[in-house]
Amino acid sequence: MFYARMSLACAWRYHSLSVLMKASKFTGIFFKHKLVKLPSGEYKLDFYMPRYPSEAFFTAMEDKVLRKPPRPVSVVLSITKACAYKCPHCYQRKDAPQELPLDVLIDNVRKMRDFGIVAWAVEGGEPLLRFERLEAVLKEISGLEVWVNSTGHSATPEKIYRLAELKVTGVMSSIHSVDPQEHDAFTGMQGSWQRALNFLHDCQKEGMLVGFNTVLTDRQIVDGGIDAIMALAKEHNCDYIQLIHPKACGGWMGKKFDNELSQKAIRIAKEAQLRYNSAKEKHSPVLTAQVFEESPEMLGCCCGGIDRFYVGASGEVQPCEFVNISFGNLQEESFETAYGRMRKCFATPCEEWTCCVHAKELAEHAGERLPIPWAETEQLVKNWKVGTPTKVYESIGIYK
Ligand SMILES: C[S@@+](CC[C@H](N)C(=O)[O-])C[C@H]1O[C@@H](n2cnc3c(N)ncnc32)[C@H](O)[C@@H]1O
Ligand code: SF4
Ligand code: SF4
């Protein structure tokens, strides 16, 4: 009933019957998600979609069912590379340390906002370390669907209060193990596990949604790691767990994964998502496993401005934070130019995961600095073949 009502609301808003059909097809893929009712009375049907019935939600729907050419819903925006932690896998590990000047950053934030980007993941490095930049960005996007990814390092009650004041929807902190020592050894920072949990508690008290960003190895998943993390998240009253699949990029560029073990882990993660979002697990946090959300039955790979893209701290426009190639730097070129090049390359939504399919090739071309600059990216992507079109987008027909 909820989904039917929501599709009807979209059709009513745009006075169109075809919108009704397209909206039902699009929102229908989220049918097996747990519907979260927020204290505001709004609903979240998917971690990545803005809450319903916010203005941000309707803009996102408009992008999916009406717009030609369609626009992306979200951006992951890094405002600084500064971070005291030393995670070996970090996708920004080899990025340039320079930050976009604040005026250029804000100028581009306004452009992306006015272009219709409604779901923002603002992060670092550690964004709380550069709070004046974080605050300036949050002021521009206040009221949209805004999540902050932070370890909690350098958090103070004043900063947390300000995040809530600027209407941040939620915060996500990395927790990669239920064992504090194991997590701290991975981040290279004593006390980082406890700090993340304290930070989430404090943010929750201020009314923000909270959750873990968790990267488990395939071996950990096969050995029951998801259930352990979910139990910890439930104990700490989290709303969301985003399970991030390990990627061979950044510090892990060139890393090889055991294909058979990976396939097994993917199967387990997909089953876990269905289980934790079922009525039986009514009181568990929502599990959002990337491998489920990006499966062929769902949205496939939505990088390159299909649904999302990434802007690094120094202004590089990338198709995804996990794909270290640049379509231009915002200090040298306009957002429109870099974005246009990227959309040309990722013209059609496809099922194949760009971060995996091209990992070996990118590792062969990667230098000491990442992302691979536009001049080289341009040559590389010329040879990229179009993959299998994602079913839901094919049936909606907006990319034809
Ligand atoms: C760059 S961090 C930004 C926020 C903050 N610094 C943190 O670590 O939570 C975003 C998330 O991406 C994850 N991540 C970074 N590099 C990754 C990789 N190569 N594979 C999978 N996840 C990665 C991190 O573990 C973290 O959960
Ligand atoms: S993953 Fe996050 S916490 Fe770890 S080094 Fe990278 S930016 Fe810092
Ligand atoms: S490249 Fe595609 S599949 Fe890989 S993480 Fe990004 S959006 Fe997901």
Side-chain angles (χ1 to χ4, degrees), residues 366-396:
E368 274 313 296
R369 266 273 169 264
L370 288 174
I372 295 172
W374 164 240
E376 277 176 65
T377 297
E378 187 176 18
Q379 298 310 314
L380 277 177
V381 300
K382 265 186 193 157
N383 303 318
W384 287 12
K385 305 236 171 1
V386 180
T388 319
T390 311
K391 287 178 203 63
V392 66
Y393 283 126
E394 232 197 353
S395 74
I396 293 175

Side-chain angles (χ1 to χ4, degrees), residues 353-374:
W353 295 341
T354 305
C355 52
C356 299
V357 174
H358 297 288
K360 187 164 173 276
E361 182 190 0
L362 297 192
E364 282 163 9
H365 284 85
E368 274 313 296
R369 266 273 169 264
L370 288 174
I372 295 172
W374 164 240

Side-chain angles (χ1 to χ4, degrees), residues 59 62-72 115 305-306 339-340 343-344 346-347 397-400:
T59 307
E62 191 182 319
D63 289 330
K64 296 295 140 209
V65 298
L66 265 184
R67 283 263 168 181
K68 272 199 184 234
R71 301 174 304 192
F115 178 55
I306 297 286
Y339 176 81
R343 291 298 306 118
K344 213 165 138 201
F346 296 93
I398 45 172
Y399 287 91
K400 281 180 185 145

Side-chain angles (χ1 to χ4, degrees), residues 207-351:
M208 290 174 271
L209 296 174
V210 299
F212 299 169
N213 274 328
T214 300
V215 181
L216 295 179
T217 62
D218 294 328
R219 169 53 57 204
Q220 284 170 319
I221 290 181
V222 169
D223 290 346
I226 297 180
D227 289 340
I229 279 284
M230 290 303 288
L232 179 74
K234 189 174 178 181
E235 185 190 324
H236 289 275
N237 212 12
C238 286
D239 301 289
Y240 284 94
I241 301 306
Q242 180 178 222
L243 184 65
I244 306 175
H245 193 218
K247 314 283 189 328
C249 65
W252 273 357
M253 181 70 93
K255 190 176 171 71
K256 305 228 170 21
F257 298 105
D258 173 339
N259 188 40
E260 207 177 309
L261 196 63
S262 278
Q263 292 311 317
K264 205 168 168 188
I266 289 173
R267 227 175 21 251
I268 293 173
K270 285 164 107 175
E271 282 164 12
Q273 165 137 354
L274 286 173
R275 186 157 38 87
Y276 280 106
N277 289 293
S278 69
K280 249 179 34 202
E281 290 284 351
K282 204 169 154 204
H283 301 294
S284 284
V286 174
L287 174 63
T288 295
Q290 268 189 345
V291 295
F292 183 96
E293 301 293 328
E294 297 176 342
S295 60
E297 313 77 61
M298 296 293 292
L299 290 172
C301 175
C302 47
C303 80
I306 297 286
D307 289 328
R308 62 193 294 243
F309 61 102
Y310 174 72
V311 179
S314 67
E316 303 287 357
V317 177
Q318 297 181 204
C320 176
E321 61 273 33
F322 301 109
V323 181
N324 303 113
I325 55 174
S326 173
F327 284 84
N329 186 295
L330 295 177
Q331 236 185 312
E332 291 147 18
E333 290 171 290
S334 70
F335 170 70
E336 292 80 355
T337 303
Y339 176 81
R341 289 169 180 160
M342 184 170 69
R343 291 298 306 118
K344 213 165 138 201
C345 174
F346 296 93
T348 317
C350 291
E351 291 178 356

